[in-house]
């Protein structure tokens, strides 16, 4: 069970490590240089075949990606975020499809989904 963090401060990374480790969830902050690496490769599930060069791109906001968590453990992660008063709006769970994507693709998709959701609420 693992949580990948993108564009978070070291203090938030440390807080989440302290809160999630007792639940058996490891936490890893992903460097900007790895944003073009497929998620499955970052997680050690796949071998790198074709990786784009780093683009030096920073996200405008943090993102959290959960891998290998049951529904109950996802709820635990969300509860720990709330308890620590940590706001990360862009959150996702790995799927067979998005394991082939890189962080930039997931980030773009999450932002698009949020914009669509907000537009439909009006």
């Amino acid at each position: 069970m693992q949580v990948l963090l993108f564009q978070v401060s070291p203090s938030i990374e440390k807080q989440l490590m302290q809160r999630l480790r007792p639940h058996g969830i490891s936490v890893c902050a992903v460097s900007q240089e790895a944003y073009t690496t497929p998620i499955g490769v970052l997680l050690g599930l796949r071998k790198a075949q074709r990786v784009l060069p780093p683009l030096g791109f920073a996200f405008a906001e943090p993102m959290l990606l959960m891998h290998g968590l049951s529904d109950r453990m996802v709820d635990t992660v969300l509860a720990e975020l709330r308890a620590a008063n940590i706001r990360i709006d862009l959150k996702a769970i790995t799927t067979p499809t998005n394991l082939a994507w890189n962080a930039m693709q997931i980030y773009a998709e999450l932002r698009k989904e949020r914009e669509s959701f907000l537009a439909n609420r009006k």
Side-chain angles (χ1 to χ4, degrees), residues 28-81:
C28 177
V30 178
S31 68
Q32 289 179 11
E33 293 79 30
Y35 285 7
T36 55
T37 303
I39 299 302
V41 174
L42 290 176
L43 292 167
L45 304 173
R46 299 179 177 182
K47 293 198 182 293
Q49 292 180 352
R50 190 180 67 140
V51 176
L52 298 170
L55 302 176
F57 179 79
F59 297 156
E61 60 187 303
M63 180 173 75
L64 181 147
L65 185 60
M66 296 172 268
H67 174 72
L69 279 70
S70 66
D71 291 345
R72 186 175 62 83
M73 293 309 286
V74 168
D75 290 343
T76 297
V77 170
L78 299 177
E80 290 293 350
L81 285 168

Side-chain angles (χ1 to χ4, degrees), residues 91-109:
K91 294 181 276 302
I93 298 170
T94 58
T95 66
T97 299
N98 70 19
L99 284 172
W101 297 1
N102 63 42
M104 295 172 59
Q105 292 169 298
I106 293 176
Y107 178 80
E109 183 66 23

